[in-house]
């Protein structure tokens, strides 16, 4: 009698990330990973979780505490977390969309018809190749800038260019400077490559793959296929959030946190960078502790929404927000069906988006209340900012994270992990259920408002 233990794909994703975090914690606790004092278990766990989950929140100074080996470990964790998440999220999306049913594909392979498994392999290869190409390009640009503009040696320039390219493309937000990238506050040759890298990584590989196939078809003379709703939502949402965020930061902080920058060009550059980074890279060229509370609240919204699905960005994702917005518009207009760009959105998709949003709001709200109780010396604005940053895997902070008590830091660790794998696991689990009931209950209309 034989037993087989079947692990759901979503469970495999969660356990895989947990395994990487455990290994990373052990490595970071080794003596050679730090410069002087050994790293405590909590600091190592926090850093490993933050790196693997592409967050960027820190409890110890990345530049001062970690040795070269420790920084390499962090970079490897970021790459594994980003590349692994993009690959797994893309494949899960394809499986759940019905294009790559795993059991059927394995059966086809056994029969000698391995074309679909070849597509799986192609998706994995394409993800890896695209990731490496973007990271290499950004590495070269940054290395040239560090060498020519700041006089770094070629070795240091290449190392820092590589580290920040991987950190930016994977939307991690780790930097090799104590003040993150505040030393380059007026340097467009550093901030713009970082912004480009994190925006591309945050769009999501499924959207980038669709754009590539569409462009290739046009160049080969084929009639272009219509954009999917996922791609439309992602591109339009990214543009809207970037423009509106830039305006928010420029107007709110022109005479505030940006006042010391002097030239209008530097202020606009930093307004743009501050708009892009919360979704969800975590780099900061200006101290967020200097921002007005209204600006922090606006940043909370940007972090909470995040970037595209199947990419390295966190948050509830632009697609989730767009689906719910479409449902609200349809309800306001009195329409029975929710439709966008000539396509209808099924009710179960709306329920899935609502479930993801509700779970996210609940986690952020409960965590904020718990940390307020554990660390009453900090304001609600500060704690909410760091909680949203942890859940949305952003990494921005008002500077309170290292000073939070251990239980509060453990809450942020759970939030970072849940924020990275939770929405994917929840959405995939909901989408994977396809057991229609053979009966219906009588309908009743509860009173709303």
């Amino acid at each position: 009698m034989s037993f087989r233990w079947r692990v759901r794909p979503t469970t495999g994703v969660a356990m895989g990330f947990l395994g990487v975090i455990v290994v990373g914690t052990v490595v970071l606790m080794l003596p050679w990973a730090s410069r002087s004092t050994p790293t405590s278990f909590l600091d190592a766990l926090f850093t490993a979780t933050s790196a693997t989950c592409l967050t960027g929140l820190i409890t110890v100074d990345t530049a001062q505490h970690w040795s070269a080996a420790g920084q390499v470990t962090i970079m490897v964790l970021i790459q594994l977390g980003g590349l692994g998440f993009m690959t797994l999220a893309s494949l899960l999306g394809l499986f759940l969309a019905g294009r790559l049913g795993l059991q059927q594909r394995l059966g086809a392979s056994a029969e000698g018809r391995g074309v679909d498994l070849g597509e799986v392999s192609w998706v994995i290869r394409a993800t890896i190749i695209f990731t490496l190409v973007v990271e290499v390009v950004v590495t070269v640009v940054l290395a040239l800038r560090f060498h020519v503009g700041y006089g770094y040696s070629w070795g240091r320039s290449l190392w820092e260019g590589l580290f920040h390219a991987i950190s930016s493309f994977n939307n991690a937000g780790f930097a090799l400077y104590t003040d993150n990238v505040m030393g380059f506050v007026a340097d467009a040759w550093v901030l713009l490559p970082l912004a480009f890298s994190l925006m591309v990584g945050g769009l999501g590989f499924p959207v980038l793959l669709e754009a590539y196939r569409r462009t290739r078809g046009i160049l080969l003379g084929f009639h272009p296929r219509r954009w999917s709703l996922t791609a439309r939502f992602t591109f339009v949402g990214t543009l809207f959030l970037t423009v509106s965020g830039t305006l928010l930061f420029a107007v709110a902080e022109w005479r505030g946190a940006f006042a010391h920058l002097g030239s209008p060009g530097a202020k606009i550059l930093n307004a743009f960078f501050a708009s892009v980074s919360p979704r969800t890279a975590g780099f900061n060229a200006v101290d967020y502790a200097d921002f007005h509370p209204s600006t922090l609240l606006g940043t909370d919204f940007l972090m909470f929404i995040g970037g595209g699905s199947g990419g390295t960005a966190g948050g509830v994702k632009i697609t989730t927000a767009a689906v719910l917005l479409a449902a609200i518009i349809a309800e306001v207009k009195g329409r029975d069906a929710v439709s966008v760009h000539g396509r209808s959105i099924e009710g179960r998709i709306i329920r899935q988006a609502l479930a993801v949003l509700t779970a996210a709001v609940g986690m952020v709200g409960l965590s904020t209340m718990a940390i307020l109780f554990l660390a009453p010396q900090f304001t609600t604005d500060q704690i909410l900012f760091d909680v949203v940053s942890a859940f949305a895997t952003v990494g921005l902070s008002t500077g309170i994270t290292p000073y939070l008590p251990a239980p509060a830091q453990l809450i942020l660790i759970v939030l970072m992990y849940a924020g990275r794998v939770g929405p994917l696991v929840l959405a995939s689990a909901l989408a994977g259920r396809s057991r229609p009931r053979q009966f219906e209950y009588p309908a009743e209309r509860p009173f709303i408002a």
Side-chain angles (χ1 to χ4, degrees):
M1 186 174 181
S2 62
F3 295 91
R4 290 186 299 174
W5 181 41
R6 294 185 177 181
V7 179
R8 293 172 59 89
T10 51
T11 304
V13 171
M15 296 303 296
F17 273 87
L18 186 60
V20 173
I21 290 171
V22 170
V23 173
T25 301
V26 173
V27 173
L28 290 176
M29 289 180 65
L30 296 176
W32 48 263
S34 58
R35 294 185 184 273
S36 55
T37 58
T39 305
S40 67
F41 170 75
L42 182 58
D43 286 334
L45 176 62
F46 195 100
T47 303
T49 305
S50 183
T52 305
C53 296
L54 313 179
T55 307
L57 285 175
I58 58 174
T59 56
V60 293
D61 192 331
T62 306
Q64 300 298 325
H65 178 81
W66 302 109
S67 64
Q71 292 173 355
V72 169
T73 301
I74 292 173
M75 183 180 70
V76 171
L77 290 175
I78 292 171
Q79 187 73 297
L80 289 175
L83 190 58
F85 186 82
M86 285 186 70
T87 303
L88 291 171
S90 299
L91 292 180
L92 277 175
L94 290 172
F95 290 147
L96 294 171
R99 303 178 196 171
L100 297 174
L102 183 56
Q103 296 299 327
Q104 293 82 355
R105 279 29 179 188
L106 291 175
S109 177
E111 297 171 3
R113 297 180 288 109
V115 60
D116 288 323
L117 282 178
E119 186 175 354
V120 173
S121 300
W122 186 87
V123 169
I124 294 175
R125 289 197 304 271
T127 303
I128 295 174
I129 292 172
F130 180 80
T131 298
L132 295 179
V133 167
V134 174
E135 290 176 350
V136 167
V137 170
V138 176
T139 297
V140 171
V141 174
L142 291 177
L144 287 173
R145 181 57 179 168
F146 290 146
H147 179 71
V148 176
Y150 297 92
Y152 296 174
S153 66
W154 276 116
R156 180 183 175 185
S157 297
L158 289 172
W159 160 240
E160 295 202 3
L162 176 64
F163 185 96
H164 292 98
I166 290 176
S167 182
S168 60
F169 178 79
N170 291 289
N171 280 237
F174 279 87
L176 295 178
Y177 300 93
T178 301
D179 59 357
N180 205 268
V181 293
M182 291 173 62
F184 308 103
V185 65
D187 193 340
W189 287 100
V190 173
L191 297 187
L192 289 182
L194 290 177
F196 164 79
S197 181
L198 65 91
M199 287 183 71
V200 172
L203 286 174
F205 185 74
V207 172
L208 296 171
L209 176 60
E210 182 176 343
Y212 165 76
R213 286 177 165 172
R214 180 182 175 88
T215 303
R216 183 172 179 270
I218 293 175
L219 294 176
L220 293 177
F222 297 114
H223 182 72
R225 299 172 59 184
R226 62 177 294 132
W227 289 103
S228 68
L229 286 183
T230 299
R232 289 178 183 270
F233 286 155
T234 302
F235 285 128
V236 174
T238 298
L239 179 61
F240 173 78
L241 291 175
T242 300
V243 173
S244 59
T246 301
L247 291 175
L248 166 68
F249 286 106
V251 172
E253 301 298 337
W254 193 270
R255 296 183 179 179
F258 296 160
H260 69 286
L261 298 179
S263 68
K267 293 181 179 180
I268 294 174
L269 170 65
N270 280 272
F272 169 75
F273 190 77
S275 173
V276 171
S277 187
R279 303 178 7 263
T280 55
F283 288 108
N284 65 288
V286 179
D287 191 351
Y288 274 77
D290 296 334
F291 280 4
H292 191 272
S294 62
T295 311
L296 293 179
L297 183 59
T299 308
D300 288 338
F301 281 109
L302 292 176
M303 293 191 295
F304 189 78
I305 294 175
S309 301
T312 56
V316 297
K317 302 298 188 297
I318 292 175
T319 306
T320 301
V323 166
L324 293 176
L325 178 61
I328 293 173
I329 293 175
E331 186 64 26
V332 170
K333 293 184 176 181
R335 296 174 179 172
D336 293 331
V338 179
S339 58
V340 181
H341 296 294
R343 290 290 185 269
S344 296
I345 301 177
E346 298 179 3
R348 64 185 182 90
I349 302 298
I350 299 173
R351 293 194 298 271
Q352 290 166 20
L354 186 59
V356 170
L357 179 67
T358 303
V361 171
M363 291 187 65
V364 169
L366 291 175
S367 299
T368 301
M369 288 189 292
I371 297 179
L372 277 170
F373 177 79
L374 294 169
Q377 67 271 31
F378 299 115
T379 67
T380 304
D381 291 335
Q382 291 175 312
I383 292 177
L384 177 62
F385 189 90
D386 279 42
V387 165
V388 174
S389 179
F391 171 78
T393 67
V394 177
L396 294 175
S397 175
T398 56
I400 68 172
T401 303
Y403 307 105
L404 292 173
Q409 291 182 355
L410 287 173
I411 291 175
L412 293 184
I413 289 174
V414 174
L415 276 174
M416 289 188 288
Y417 178 75
R420 173 52 53 185
V421 303
L424 174 66
V425 170
L426 177 59
S428 300
L430 293 173
R433 296 184 308 173
S434 57
R435 299 177 182 176
R437 292 187 305 187
Q438 302 303 316
F439 62 92
E440 293 291 341
Y441 289 108
E444 182 177 342
R445 181 184 178 117
F447 179 73
I448 303 297

